[in-house]
Amino acid sequence: MLQEEVYFWKPVSSSQRLAYVLADENLTVLTHSKRLKAWGGKNSGSLIGLSLVDVFVELVGAEETLRKILAREQDSFTLSQVNRSLDDGQLLYYDLHVRPLRELGRVLLLIVNDVTERASKEQQVRQQRNELRLLNAELQARNEELDAFAHTLAHSLQNLLTPIVISADVLKQELTDVVTEEARQVTDIIARNSQRMSQVIEALLLLADARRAEIMLLPLDMASIVAEVQGRLAGMVEAGGAEMVVPATWPRAWGYAPWVEEVWENYLSNALKYGGESPRIELGATVQQDGQVRFWVRDDGPGIAPDEQVQLFIPFVRLKHANLAGHGLGLSIVRRIVEKLGGQVGVQSAPGQGSTFWFALPAAGPRSCA
Amino acid sequence: MIQKKICLVGDFAVGKTSLARRFVEGIFDDKYLSSIGANISRKVLALDGSDLTLLIWDLVGGEKFDRVIANYYRGSAGALLVCDLTRPETLDKLTGYASDFLGINPAAHLVFVGNKVDLTSERRIRDVSLAAVAERYHAPVFISSAKTGQDVQQAFETLGQHLLAGRVS
């Protein structure tokens, strides 16, 4: 709050928003509108004869600018939404605009525009916006903490599990002839479940790291990526008697190949698992008008009901009919890494009509690559 | 009497208004009220036998640097650059604020302030991180709390002393 010995203009009438002051080349007030009067100090009343910079302390430091305006080296000077708390607690907002008044020689015109009403509304909007930004930042910080925690936990578990996986394999191979059938079954259970646990932990690590990882986006060689994934899933394709239809060329898109491989592997393994008996799985891509390429996997399985579709990409949610082995992390990983790559994910499906899972990535250019 | 304009600069909700009110009026209000534009207050400091009047411009935070902000900065002799010790991103942005401010006032003196030190369990900026940023500008650092008053007076007084020293030299 400004102390009382400081001069200041005081609003005399609330019906007028604009007021003016004229000052000479020495920055001394020559005249002013009646709306303004000195407030505080010994000379309460008229501003005439006072220093412009003493009355309007907002102009302290701007003296050089004011002289440039008088010398016609600068057109004008504006201070927007300057505000002061008055003694009665009222907050007054005003714009100050200084320009030369050439008709009267070397004279400055200061226009004072009371913008309190407009500024008060703007303050309310800004208040809400800033509170939202604070909440958003807090959420982001908590997410980072959770990711860091998940990363640490998964690493620790993986370190503990690795010797169990290795030991179970050794037991299976070395003790075949000397243990009972029951002991062999127990050893199998240990080996199988420790392998599965290891996969879950790997998935958790990818999920935890995706949001904070620093990666470089490059144009993708989608044909190679898909071929790599097909190779990995060859056993499943053969076991399920599946047919996989792949296009000869792909539109170019930006991405990070190791992650995009994960996306395809998730979509294709889901299609193999849930696409029905001897599924026909079609892959494709569509260049969209929004500058993205939509890559998709279509199966002819039983389809997914709308209420289940909305839960698909949420971590640890598995659908009722998804009774095959799985841990419910796959699609949530897909979503997180595709969003990190600047893309989107989704599904189109209806019961009895199969499903089309898609992910969209920023297009890299018009050229297609095989 | 010597009169100097100084600015309080930093991201939104770092506590610039609270620091100004603590320094000028000696009060603190926990409620967050976002500022718009520039609020001007004044305080006279008795330093080294001189009376120094500080015109304190508490500026809107979180806005992009443009002509309006440049005009607020213009003619300032110094600035307190404030970050919130519980929000690391507010420290990241301080160099941008410092560089914009010095672009308008190349000879200005800076003091860096890490505010809200009273929120001990939420603190996420270490002293050394803030000191490293301040070091780039050869500026002093204060770890403050507008709520308790810790180091608020000292930060303003240090800036005032630098302004007086700069004036003499």
Side-chain angles (χ1 to χ4, degrees):
Chain A
M1 196 173 290
L2 287 156
Q3 295 173 2
E4 282 196 0
E5 66 268 24
V6 176
Y7 295 116
F8 185 47
W9 66 278
K10 186 174 180 179
V12 176
S13 159
S14 59
S15 62
Q16 290 175 302
R17 286 189 183 160
L18 286 172
Y20 69 87
V21 180
L22 295 184
D24 65 16
E25 58 192 325
N26 298 315
L27 306 181
T28 301
V29 175
L30 296 171
T31 184
H32 57 88
S33 56
K34 288 180 183 173
R35 175 158 163 67
L36 300 177
K37 81 175 203 183
W39 172 64
K42 295 173 187 169
N43 194 21
S44 188
S46 172
L47 306 179
I48 295 172
L50 296 174
S51 161
L52 184 67
V53 179
D54 282 348
V55 179
F56 291 90
V57 289
E58 299 83 355
L59 299 175
V60 168
E63 295 89 339
E64 186 57 35
T65 303
L66 301 181
R67 291 196 175 90
K68 280 184 181 175
I69 293 171
L70 279 168
R72 302 187 181 189
E73 294 168 15
Q74 185 171 329
D75 289 338
S76 62
F77 179 66
T78 300
L79 288 168
S80 305
Q81 291 184 336
V82 187
N83 56 84
R84 284 192 191 181
S85 309
L86 302 183
D87 269 353
D88 60 2
Q90 186 194 357
L91 195 61
L92 203 62
Y93 293 87
Y94 46 95
D95 292 346
L96 298 180
H97 180 74
V98 185
R99 66 178 182 84
L101 195 64
R102 296 197 171 107
E103 296 82 352
L104 297 179
R106 289 170 64 84
V107 170
L108 278 178
L109 169 63
L110 167 65
I111 298 168
V112 182
N113 185 12
D114 184 342
V115 294
T116 303
E117 194 178 327
R118 187 188 73 205
S120 300
K121 288 176 185 163
E122 192 179 316
Q123 192 278 334
Q124 288 170 14
V125 172
R126 194 178 299 254
Q127 175 86 20
Q128 289 176 341
R129 190 187 70 180
N130 284 355
E131 283 173 0
L132 278 174
R133 287 160 86 182
L134 285 173
L135 277 174
N136 195 33
E138 191 181 335
L139 273 176
Q140 198 174 330
R142 288 189 183 186
N143 276 337
E144 283 169 13
E145 281 172 17
L146 281 173
D147 283 345
F149 173 72
H151 175 90
T152 307
L153 188 66
H155 249 303
S156 304
L157 288 173
Q158 193 68 288
N159 287 340
L160 293 169
L161 191 59
T162 301
I164 298 174
V165 173
I166 294 169
S167 302
D169 273 348
V170 170
L171 275 176
K172 273 177 69 178
Q173 288 165 22
E174 301 293 326
L175 303 179
T176 311
D177 299 332
V178 293
V179 297
T180 63
E181 179 60 25
E182 189 181 2
R184 193 160 37 246
Q185 284 176 3
V186 170
T187 312
D188 278 346
I189 290 170
I190 294 171
R192 195 167 53 245
N193 284 295
S194 56
Q195 281 286 0
R196 200 171 290 166
M197 196 187 294
S198 181
Q199 288 166 4
V200 173
I201 292 169
E202 283 296 331
L204 266 176
L205 267 175
L206 183 57
L207 191 70
D209 290 348
R211 194 151 34 202
R212 59 184 186 165
E214 296 291 331
I215 49 154
M216 182 182 284
L217 299 187
L218 293 169
L220 297 167
D221 179 357
M222 201 58 89
S224 298
I225 290 170
V226 171
E228 171 70 25
V229 176
Q230 281 182 291
R232 274 193 240 164
L233 299 175
M236 278 181 81
V237 173
E238 192 179 338
E243 180 192 359
M244 208 172 277
V245 182
V246 181
T249 60
W250 293 93
R252 282 153 58 86
W254 292 99
Y256 180 59
W259 284 5
V260 176
E261 273 184 31
E262 289 290 334
V263 175
W264 281 116
E265 185 168 344
N266 266 288
Y267 278 178
L268 291 176
S269 61
N270 279 346
L272 288 164
K273 284 183 222 168
Y274 309 123
E277 286 186 23
S278 302
R280 183 179 191 276
I281 299 167
E282 190 181 351
L283 287 67
T286 312
V287 179
Q288 302 189 129
Q289 287 188 336
D290 62 0
Q292 296 212 320
V293 182
R294 181 181 285 203
F295 300 94
W296 46 265
V297 176
R298 185 179 298 142
D299 67 52
D300 53 0
I304 304 163
D307 61 324
E308 291 191 318
Q309 288 176 31
V310 295
Q311 301 181 66
L312 275 171
F313 293 91
I314 301 169
F316 302 107
V317 172
R318 295 188 62 231
L319 304 186
K320 282 179 281 185
H321 70 274
N323 53 0
L324 299 173
H327 38 70
L329 274 174
L331 291 178
S332 61
I333 291 172
V334 165
R335 177 180 165 184
R336 190 170 291 186
I337 64 185
V338 169
E339 286 178 353
K340 174 83 177 182
L341 297 174
Q344 296 166 298
V345 297
V347 62
Q348 291 167 328
S349 185
Q353 295 177 30
S355 303
T356 301
F357 281 83
W358 59 267
F359 65 99
L361 294 173
R367 188 160 60 88
S368 294
C369 59
Chain B
M1 187 171 65
I2 308 155
Q3 186 165 251
K4 297 282 184 186
K5 170 182 175 178
I6 64 166
C7 291
L8 280 161
V9 180
D11 207 6
F12 71 96
V14 296
K16 298 184 292 294
T17 303
S18 294
L19 285 168
R21 293 193 75 190
R22 165 63 72 184
F23 176 60
V24 176
E25 301 173 57
I27 58 173
F28 175 80
D29 187 345
D30 230 344
K31 188 183 169 200
Y32 170 56
L33 197 64
S34 74
S35 305
I36 64 169
N39 185 274
I40 301 165
S41 52
R42 194 178 94 126
K43 177 142 179 171
V44 180
L45 284 177
L47 293 172
D48 306 329
S50 303
D51 275 352
L52 172 65
T53 300
L54 290 179
L55 284 169
I56 302 157
W57 286 55
D58 168 24
L59 302 181
V60 58
E63 297 302 303
K64 71 174 176 19
F65 180 70
D66 59 10
R67 200 168 162 182
V68 172
I69 303 287
N71 281 348
Y72 291 155
Y73 288 172
R74 205 171 301 283
S76 301
L80 289 185
L81 287 139
V82 186
C83 70
D84 174 351
L85 294 170
T86 70
R87 290 159 57 209
E89 70 276 11
T90 63
L91 175 61
D92 300 338
K93 292 177 185 170
L94 270 195
T95 50
Y97 280 108
S99 133
D100 291 338
F101 185 81
L102 291 175
I104 300 294
N105 306 294
H109 295 268
L110 305 180
V111 167
F112 284 76
V113 178
N115 192 34
K116 305 191 188 179
V117 70
D118 53 284
L119 300 175
T120 46
S121 63
E122 296 167 47
R123 182 168 173 179
R124 295 179 67 202
I125 297 175
R126 294 183 302 156
D127 289 10
V128 288
S129 306
L130 179 56
V133 174
E135 177 61 29
R136 287 183 225 165
Y137 300 92
H138 308 291
V141 178
F142 289 89
I143 302 296
S144 75
S145 166
K147 187 171 187 174
T148 66
Q150 179 182 329
D151 268 5
V152 175
Q153 181 85 14
Q154 289 84 340
F156 280 94
E157 282 186 359
T158 299
L159 182 57
Q161 281 159 348
H162 282 232
L163 299 183
L164 287 178
R167 185 186 67 92
V168 171
S169 63

